[in-house]
Amino acid sequence: MTADLFDPALYDGVRRPLLDAEGLPPACYTDPAFHRAELERVFRRGWHMVGRLDQVAAPGDYLTATVGEVGLIVVRGRDGVVRAFANACRHRGTPLVEGRGSCAAFRCPYHSWTYALDGSLKGAAGMEQTRDFDMEGLGLLPLRLADWGGFLFAAVDEAVPPLATWLGGLPARLAAYRFDDMVATRVVDYTVACNWKLWVENFMEGYHIATVHRSTINKQPVVNIPEDPGGGAFVSIYERHQGTRALLVGDAGFPPIEGLDAESAAGSRFILIYPATMLAIAIDTAWSLVCDPLGPEATRVTVTSCFPRQRLARPDFGALAANYYKRLDITLPEDNAICALQQTGLRSPLARAGRFSHKERIVHEFDNWILDRVVGPASRPAAAE
Ligand code: FES
Ligand SMILES: [Fe+2]
């Protein structure tokens, strides 16, 4: 690192209007100090998608997730309430569970302290001689959890505004899709050797499709239409096209979601809910795609497929759903590979910030949103784009 990455003057080029602007300096994608600042100033201070309500349908059902560097458990209690807790034993910090599952209580794998589904400490054998040992004060640490349309979001910091404020006009814009009525049918995790921002940037531009996806989704002609800001912490693209965007051309699928408005029925939407939650919404299915940084140069991407609940009752559900999964299984590795390749280029000491196409409006928006938080809102000119 040659310059002070927290000096706002370093980013004057990023702050210019899109067609005059430069991208982030390569060090923003590799530097451990910049990464640490993102964990503290971006991930700790926002809402992050952690799963679906229907994944914890019954008491005892749990899932694990990460918000920045905070591991958490989401679990439905015996009282039916879904809660989030830090996934850390109050004895010496060991995570209690991994993945997803169902249990009657959590038992720490280290010294067997046990916790009820409401987070309270129920057993701590071996602690009888410890003076002033306060079982009641040693429950799992609760975290903020909120849901919209069955999507669960968690926040670490008390100062983060309510989820409804964070989402702004997004729930109204997407009401016709009735996410509440959907069920998560498949979850796939990828570990990609790239900075999390590269993956988000790639997902939010269509410029690469003609090259990276030339023999797959590029076969479907689309018109890309930016949507208005919605007064929340999100950006949105609408793509108009024939049929569904969620299948490869020629594959059979489900009918459109019932009750879609004319615009939603004539295209797809790609949404970034800052900082790292994405939605891809087609006429017949919705995917969430969540980036979790594993370090400056590694990202876990969790992709969840959702369909309207009534589709699951169809005898051909498995056969048709497989076509949607096939589309993801072909195109996501294309994105993962190009992001990992890009990362290798950004690692070079000769790497420099580049310029933007008009097709990279959201990449520029996103980079500026990150800078507003990591180095401060500083000197961004108020020019129209
Ligand atoms: S760390 Fe959990 S019981 Fe010791
Ligand atoms: Fe892509």
Side-chain angles (χ1 to χ4, degrees), residues 43 61 85 99 132 192 233 243 254 267 330:
F43 283 91
D61 288 354
F85 301 104
D132 299 326
V192 186
F254 298 114
I330 289 173

Side-chain angles (χ1 to χ4, degrees), residues 87-124:
N87 188 6
C89 179
R90 294 297 303 278
H91 177 218
R92 277 162 56 194
T94 309
L96 299 172
V97 279
E98 293 178 304
R100 288 191 281 147
S102 189
C103 64
F106 297 108
R107 175 182 297 276
C108 180
Y110 203 167
H111 312 94
S112 284
W113 284 24
T114 55
Y115 300 85
L117 300 178
D118 66 1
S120 55
L121 178 61
K122 288 298 179 203

Side-chain angles (χ1 to χ4, degrees), residues 221-340:
V222 301
V223 180
N224 192 308
I225 304 166
E227 292 199 289
D228 292 337
F234 73 92
V235 281
S236 174
I237 301 171
Y238 173 75
E239 278 186 0
R240 186 177 302 133
H241 52 74
Q242 299 283 312
T244 176
R245 194 76 174 125
L247 289 168
L248 298 176
V249 171
D251 279 351
F254 298 114
I257 296 163
E258 291 74 10
L260 287 187
D261 56 276
E263 187 181 65
S264 300
S268 309
R269 287 194 165 83
F270 298 87
I271 316 278
L272 167 64
I273 301 169
Y274 288 120
T277 297
M278 287 149 281
L279 294 172
I281 312 160
I283 59 171
D284 46 2
T285 185
W287 308 323
S288 64
L289 308 100
V290 178
C291 283
D292 288 305
L294 302 174
E297 301 193 59
T299 301
R300 184 179 61 229
V301 185
T302 302
V303 182
T304 304
S305 297
C306 301
F307 291 102
R309 184 177 295 275
Q310 67 199 81
R311 300 286 181 269
L312 278 67
R314 294 170 57 122
D316 58 355
F317 174 76
L320 293 181
N323 288 338
Y324 293 83
Y325 303 153
K326 178 181 77 175
R327 187 275 203 211
L328 284 172
D329 294 345
I330 289 173
T331 56
L332 288 172
E334 291 174 339
D335 289 311
N336 294 343
I338 200 68
C339 291

Side-chain angles (χ1 to χ4, degrees), residues 202-203 205 208-209 212-213 217 331 334-335 338:
N202 172 74
F203 193 76
E205 53 96 339
H208 72 277
I209 290 176
V212 172
H213 306 299
I217 51 174
T331 56
E334 291 174 339
D335 289 311
I338 200 68

Side-chain angles (χ1 to χ4, degrees), residues 51-85:
R52 289 271 311 169
L53 261 184
D54 51 273
Q55 292 172 322
V56 287
D61 288 354
Y62 67 83
L63 57 86
T64 57
T66 313
V67 179
E69 54 195 337
V70 177
L72 56 93
I73 304 172
V74 173
V75 58
R76 190 180 290 272
R78 292 189 196 290
D79 55 3
V81 176
V82 179
R83 301 176 178 86
F85 301 104

